[in-house]
Amino acid sequence: MRILLSNDDGYFAPGLAALAEALAGLGEIVVVAPEQNRSGASNSLTLDRPLFLKQAASGFYFVNGTPTDCVHLAVTGMLDQLPDIIVSGINLGANMGDDTIYSGTVAAATEGYLLGIPSIAISLTSFEGNHFATAGQVARDLVERFIRNPVKEPVLLNVNVPDIPHADIKGMEVTRLGRRHKAEPVVKMLSPRNETVYWVGAAGAAADAGPGTDFGAVDRGFVSITPLQIDLTNTAQLPSIRHWMQ
């Protein structure tokens, strides 16, 4: 079993170390992660400059690029053999609902999925980071399940784990993405050089968080597992747009 790990918080992030520790012994593990925190990088590729690959004292490899760069470089240029599975995380903070569009954690897993490799993005749903071990155990459970019963086709799973002790997890629930209210406005302020600067506002509160959603599962103490797809076509609108174009 060959396992490729990545993230968007950077190769030095405690969540990545916890993930590598949790999966130790399940197979050959290679870690390729961004040199810096690239949260919110989404599925961006670096095309305006060359990338380098370096190895830290921890044994982790890091790249001066995005999470997508890391997986793309590892799979298409670094590794002699394709990984059997890719796991991205453990992210500090949830990636639920609309957040998945922006998430670098999900993007790393998405790149693996686009390259035909089963991929998992795993996030701890708070910014306190008190229970990385819980998310690590969930990741191990899922990889062990994959070893026992491989999925027949490439799959992209977005996994969100409540930041609570593992013993308090109620179970795992397969969910759909919920929705958030629109984001808070940008925050405008003056820099020390008297320049106007802006900080992106906080994410909106959950709007669609009922039964069956990722928000609803996590709120009830369950691990949320959402299978994602990449086809962005709004199939329901095809007839109306064809009529509009006539």
Side-chain angles (χ1 to χ4, degrees), residues 15-91:
L16 183 61
L19 180 61
E21 180 180 356
L23 299 183
L26 293 183
E28 176 190 354
I29 295 177
V30 178
V31 179
V32 183
E35 180 185 24
Q36 300 176 347
N37 188 321
R38 298 304 303 268
S39 295
S42 191
N43 297 88
S44 58
L45 277 171
T46 299
L47 303 177
D48 62 342
R49 55 187 169 82
L51 300 173
F52 61 70
L53 178 72
K54 294 186 178 181
Q55 191 171 23
S58 63
F60 295 177
Y61 291 93
F62 61 90
V63 176
N64 61 326
T66 67
T68 299
D69 290 330
C70 293
V71 173
H72 190 85
L73 186 155
V75 173
T76 67
M78 171 191 171
L79 300 175
D80 294 330
Q81 293 181 297
L82 290 179
D84 296 296
I85 193 168
I86 294 173
V87 186
S88 177
I90 300 165
N91 191 64

Side-chain angles (χ1 to χ4, degrees), residues 23 51 56 62 71 103 111 116 137 147 164 228 234 238:
L23 299 183
L51 300 173
F62 61 90
V71 173
S103 169
E111 185 65 13
Q137 184 59 56
I147 294 171
I164 57 180
L228 302 180
N234 189 336
L238 288 174

Side-chain angles (χ1 to χ4, degrees), residues 93-109:
N95 281 305
M96 299 188 293
D98 308 341
D99 296 345
T100 58
I101 295 295
Y102 306 106
S103 169
T105 302
V106 176

Side-chain angles (χ1 to χ4, degrees), residues 140-178:
R140 187 178 181 93
D141 292 345
L142 290 172
V143 172
E144 287 179 335
R145 182 183 295 265
F146 176 83
I147 294 171
R148 293 193 307 269
N149 184 23
V151 181
K152 304 295 190 230
E153 57 187 355
V155 63
L156 174 58
L157 300 181
N158 184 40
V159 180
N160 283 274
V161 182
D163 192 5
I164 57 180
H166 189 267
D168 294 335
I169 294 289
K170 301 291 180 57
M172 296 188 183
E173 192 170 294
V174 178
T175 61
R176 63 177 176 85
L177 296 180

